[in-house]
Amino acid sequence: MTPPSRLHIGAAYYPEHWPEERWPEDIRLMKAAGLTVVRMAEFAWSTMEPSEGQYNFDWLERAIARLAENDILTVLGTPTAAPPAWLVTQYPATLAVDETGRRVQFGNRCHACVNSPEFHAAVERFVTAMAKRFGPNPHVIGWQIDNEYNRVCYCDTCRLEFQQFLRRKYGSLENLNARWTTAYWSQTYSAWEQIPLPIGPHNPGLMLEFRRFVGASYRRFQKRQLDALRPHLKPSDRVTHNFMGWFGGFDHYELTADLDLAAWDWYIGSGHNDPLAQGVIHDLTRGFKRKNFWLMETQPGNVNWAGVNNSLYMGEAHAMAWQAVAHGAEAVLYWQWRSALGGQEQYHGTLVDPSGQPRPFYQEAQWLAREFAAVSDLLSGSEVRAQVAMLHDYDSRWSIEGQRHHRDFDYVEHFTHYYRPLAARNVNVDVLHADQPLDGYRLVIAPALIILNETRVRHLKAFVENGGHLVLTLRTGVKDEYNALLPSRPPGPLAELAGVEVEEYYALEMPVPVQGEWLTGSSLLWAERLQVLRPDCKVVARYQRANGWLDHQPAITETTGGTGRVWYVGVNLDTAAQTKLITRILNTAGIPQIESPPGVEIRTRRRPDGEEIYIVINHNRSGTRVRLPWNGYEHIGKRPVQGTFELPAYSTAVLTRK
Ligand code: GLA
Ligand code: ZN
């Protein structure tokens, strides 16, 4: 894979919605906006194959060529999220079945069962034809498989596949029955065919396996497409899928394992960007493959599907695009270019309106394109480097979501609660799968890592033994990989390392005050009563008067004995106390931080030659002055910067040090 030569800006373009006579004007406007890439065809199946085996690709080839004449490259999507009417009529079993047992109606999208053999056959045939035609095209630089995987199907085929999946994994029913404690409520299975697809709450072991099965189904579906596609691609082509950030329907690490690149679609919906909370989603996506990613879709102003489809403030999307780049994006594409006259998304934001004229937002895209062009070479090949890692795990998330214990306890929010103070101190963070080795990091935070396995325990122990600083939080080490409780006190196999164990946990009706030498605050939603196991484990804070059980008991601990350190945080602190705790931990671990005014984000990307690039983004609606403790050069405005400089509302500076 060759490194990207430029930072792309683009849009989703649907030439099939328009008469061909219009295309030159659209392309002229794209060029004038400064777009360098479009994504096309990801919903164009009925146009590309109007009836079985009758392919109609010429229009797309002409569109790609016209765009290329104007220096705009193409990413193609396989249109499998929108199987056409003729296909689902001819092969009714390709239609998915919903939780209530009803076949899904045709006319929206994602209506196919991704385990249907007939669907697989149709997809393989079509993708092969598309790949043969466009794989060698020099103007096509990448592919997107399908679009935003999300459908979960409950058809008979899926049920049989699930049973096979379990059979392969568990080998015997004795094993499965034991792992899931199926004697509970007489769930013991005596034949594989008896195992249902879970609808609503179910056995925790079965529920966790069902999530894994959904991921495995998508992975197999995606693999078929990759196998059809790859033989026809050029070596430099990259294949991706547009994921949906925190969407939790499947394990994204599994799905991205077979892709060249991760990508995601960033929509705010109602309201506005909360940069301290949204940055983590970019880091999450970058962590899927531990390299730069694409922002395949983002909102030009407003969406059409939220409660209130308000527009972002003027300039806000500009700052958002830079935030994506600062966290490792190599491309930013707006969805979509022009409002289609019909179809379901008539009121969505676009760059060009139904009349064919640029909308006010168009100028904002133009602004961004000019800046991307100015720093594209500088940023080429640069990557985010972090000394702090946060460990992320879909299994733990699903386990908690299945049994929250407090209805407001949310894995993603808890994760973000730890991310926010790091973001406010402008600390780069890698979000890693919890099984990754941890060498090279100074600080590792593992929020609510409820499910432990041997790999993660081994890595965490090695990390601390080698001098690493580790933060474990509440609900850690409660369960095994089958979603069964461990026969030990939490954090189970990490108790010895942390020097502490959890005697009891409490879902809270009211905040509980917490007090330490340098920490005052309260715990919300959750509190764990800790028992110190080792003399070198000291109590950082204790509960004050609460429910009796918690009164004056340890709430947060810190080991001080070895070369490394472990904090166990049995509380869910209020924002101010959380900031205090995390800042203290950052200082103890010796993590460099950068001061910035509120709403100003500073991130670094490192070039292959070792030079650090500072991306400074003003997420505020008004201008501000930023101070840096060094002199540098600003590459957008092409001017030297001495210490302090002015940053207008929603604007960005890209700096290197002198
Ligand atoms: C998703 C889809 C797009 C479009 C947008 C609208 O991201 O991938 O096709 O529907 O939402 O916000
Ligand atoms: Zn199905």
Side-chain angles (χ1 to χ4, degrees):
M1 276 200 0
T2 45
S5 54
R6 86 217 243 195
L7 184 58
H8 279 293
I9 173 166
Y13 179 40
Y14 303 94
E16 70 274 22
H17 298 171
W18 304 101
E20 205 162 328
E21 302 82 75
R22 167 69 198 187
W23 298 357
E25 174 61 4
D26 275 320
I27 295 170
R28 185 188 69 78
L29 287 170
M30 286 179 193
K31 191 168 184 179
L35 302 196
T36 58
V37 70
V38 293
R39 185 194 61 190
M40 295 195 288
E42 85 280 8
F43 292 112
W45 199 340
S46 68
T47 309
M48 291 188 283
E49 192 186 16
S51 64
E52 185 163 2
Q54 188 209 328
Y55 300 116
N56 172 30
F57 289 132
D58 294 352
W59 64 275
L60 185 54
E61 191 153 297
R62 288 196 297 275
I64 296 169
R66 287 246 160 81
L67 287 154
E69 284 159 18
N70 291 278
D71 302 317
I72 300 169
L73 297 167
T74 293
V75 170
L76 287 178
T78 67
T80 50
W86 64 258
L87 193 149
V88 302
T89 316
Q90 225 162 297
Y91 305 101
T94 58
L95 278 176
V97 169
D98 72 14
E99 274 188 322
T100 68
R102 273 197 353 184
R103 287 257 167 221
V104 173
Q105 195 193 22
F106 175 79
N108 285 298
R109 51 182 171 176
C110 309
H111 43 276
C113 166
V114 296
N115 283 318
S116 153
E118 287 171 318
F119 189 50
H120 286 176
V123 163
E124 232 160 36
R125 184 180 41 69
F126 180 78
V127 173
T128 304
M130 196 178 174
K132 278 189 180 152
R133 182 66 179 259
F134 296 110
N137 190 310
H139 311 305
V140 176
I141 57 165
W143 291 71
Q144 172 189 300
I145 305 281
D146 204 89
N147 192 83
E148 294 188 344
Y149 304 133
N150 66 82
R151 159 79 56 192
V152 178
C153 177
Y154 294 81
C155 77
D156 290 343
T157 305
C158 286
R159 189 169 38 79
L160 290 173
E161 287 288 343
F162 182 48
Q163 291 158 353
Q164 291 300 325
F165 171 87
L166 294 172
R167 190 179 202 144
R168 279 193 300 275
K169 173 153 183 187
Y170 287 81
S172 72
L173 282 170
E174 293 70 46
N175 184 29
L176 178 144
N177 283 320
R179 295 289 189 187
W180 295 2
T181 319
T182 52
Y184 206 85
W185 289 354
S186 262
Q187 296 161 43
T188 316
Y189 296 108
S190 54
W192 295 99
E193 298 73 51
Q194 295 162 357
I195 304 174
L197 297 179
I199 295 167
H202 215 290
N203 179 292
L206 181 139
M207 283 179 67
L208 185 58
E209 292 299 0
F210 184 59
R211 302 283 205 148
R212 291 173 176 151
F213 167 71
V214 169
S217 302
Y218 271 112
R219 186 173 183 179
R220 186 175 64 160
F221 174 67
Q222 178 178 265
K223 188 73 177 34
R224 281 178 175 255
Q225 297 206 35
L226 288 168
D227 290 347
L229 203 54
R230 282 208 167 113
H232 308 285
L233 302 192
K234 306 175 293 300
S236 60
D237 289 346
R238 295 189 294 172
V239 187
T240 189
H241 170 80
N242 55 337
F243 295 96
M244 294 188 281
W246 279 121
F247 176 73
F250 46 79
D251 186 321
H252 291 50
Y253 299 97
E254 269 227 36
L255 268 287
T256 47
D258 302 321
L259 297 172
D260 300 312
L261 187 76
W264 80 288
D265 297 345
W266 186 17
Y267 292 97
I268 299 295
S270 289
H272 295 274
N273 184 25
D274 175 357
L276 297 184
Q278 295 283 307
V280 70
I281 317 180
H282 297 299
D283 296 339
L284 172 80
T285 308
R286 193 182 70 247
F288 292 152
K289 295 209 62 86
R290 303 193 69 173
K291 58 185 188 198
N292 290 349
F293 60 93
W294 275 39
L295 192 63
M296 193 58 94
E297 297 180 14
T298 192
Q299 101 189 42
N302 67 283
V303 301
N304 66 311
W305 43 258
V308 176
N309 297 305
N310 65 273
S311 180
L312 298 171
Y313 295 121
M314 190 170 148
E316 189 175 359
H318 173 268
M320 284 170 60
W322 273 112
Q323 183 176 24
V325 172
H327 288 255
E330 287 176 2
V332 174
L333 282 78
Y334 291 104
W335 193 95
Q336 61 172 321
W337 170 248
R338 181 178 177 187
S339 329
L341 300 182
Q344 270 90 321
E345 298 172 292
Q346 291 162 316
Y347 293 117
H348 202 283
T350 56
L351 277 76
V352 170
D353 69 19
S355 79
Q357 301 174 79
R359 294 186 114 121
F361 186 86
Y362 177 94
Q363 284 186 12
E364 199 167 306
Q366 211 163 24
W367 174 24
L368 187 68
R370 267 197 311 273
E371 295 184 344
F372 274 18
V375 296
S376 177
D377 286 346
L378 178 74
L379 280 162
S380 178
S382 67
E383 290 183 328
V384 177
R385 294 297 174 83
Q387 298 184 10
V388 179
M390 290 184 73
L391 302 188
H392 171 245
D393 179 36
Y394 286 99
D395 287 351
S396 292
R397 173 174 171 184
W398 294 331
S399 175
I400 287 171
E401 285 175 357
Q403 291 152 299
R404 289 176 187 264
H405 207 60
H406 188 303
R407 63 164 181 250
D408 297 332
F409 188 86
D410 183 75
Y411 177 85
V412 170
E413 263 177 47
H414 184 66
F415 202 94
T416 308
H417 190 47
Y418 276 85
Y419 182 85
R420 248 174 201 288
L422 303 173
R425 309 287 306 160
N426 295 305
V427 172
N428 284 0
V429 177
D430 283 342
V431 175
L432 299 184
H433 184 275
D435 288 348
Q436 290 279 333
L438 303 169
D439 326 294
Y441 293 101
R442 292 175 77 97
L443 172 64
V444 168
I445 304 179
L449 193 59
I450 202 164
I451 290 187
L452 291 181
N453 60 28
E454 276 175 29
T455 309
R456 41 192 84 158
V457 169
R458 182 161 37 82
H459 289 158
L460 289 169
K461 282 187 176 160
F463 173 70
V464 175
E465 271 156 26
N466 292 327
H469 295 70
L470 172 66
V471 179
L472 300 174
T473 87
L474 44 80
R475 302 189 83 160
T476 292
V478 177
K479 292 190 163 192
D480 69 13
E481 287 177 289
Y482 302 93
N483 213 7
L485 293 170
L486 291 167
S488 54
R489 285 185 173 168
L494 294 175
E496 202 191 304
L497 186 72
V500 72
E501 66 183 16
V502 178
E503 279 189 299
E504 191 55 280
Y505 53 89
Y506 302 90
L508 300 177
E509 301 159 274
M510 281 187 289
V512 166
V514 174
Q515 179 71 54
E517 244 175 72
W518 47 266
L519 190 77
T520 309
S522 49
S523 186
L524 316 172
L525 312 179
W526 197 270
E528 294 179 349
R529 171 169 147 159
L530 308 183
Q531 169 87 48
V532 170
L533 300 177
R534 284 206 321 252
D536 74 310
C537 178
K538 70 172 199 250
V539 176
V540 171
R542 289 179 182 274
Y543 298 102
Q544 303 305 292
R545 245 178 93 76
N547 62 0
W549 308 108
L550 285 165
D551 301 6
H552 313 299
Q553 299 294 330
I556 304 173
T557 59
E558 175 184 358
T559 61
T560 52
T563 43
R565 271 170 204 248
V566 184
W567 287 268
Y568 189 92
V569 187
V571 289
N572 182 51
L573 290 171
D574 63 86
T575 310
Q578 179 77 348
T579 304
K580 189 132 202 223
L581 175 70
I582 298 300
T583 308
R584 173 92 174 201
I585 290 172
L586 284 171
N587 291 336
T588 310
I591 306 292
Q593 301 150 53
I594 311 177
E595 290 282 351
S596 65
V600 172
E601 177 172 11
I602 305 177
R603 295 273 144 180
T604 56
R605 277 175 63 157
R606 189 176 303 164
R607 283 168 52 85
D609 62 12
E611 178 155 41
E612 294 281 350
I613 304 167
Y614 291 77
I615 301 178
V616 186
I617 306 161
N618 184 3
H619 291 288
N620 297 299
R621 296 181 71 186
S622 49
T624 184
R625 286 192 82 69
V626 179
R627 249 192 81 75
L628 288 172
W630 38 262
N631 293 336
Y633 186 80
E634 201 284 310
H635 294 262
I636 293 177
K638 311 228 176 300
R639 62 197 161 123
V641 166
Q642 253 102 35
T644 311
F645 61 95
E646 189 67 28
L647 201 56
Y650 291 126
S651 64
T652 296
V654 177
L655 300 141
T656 48
R657 290 170 80 148
K658 264 281 162 57

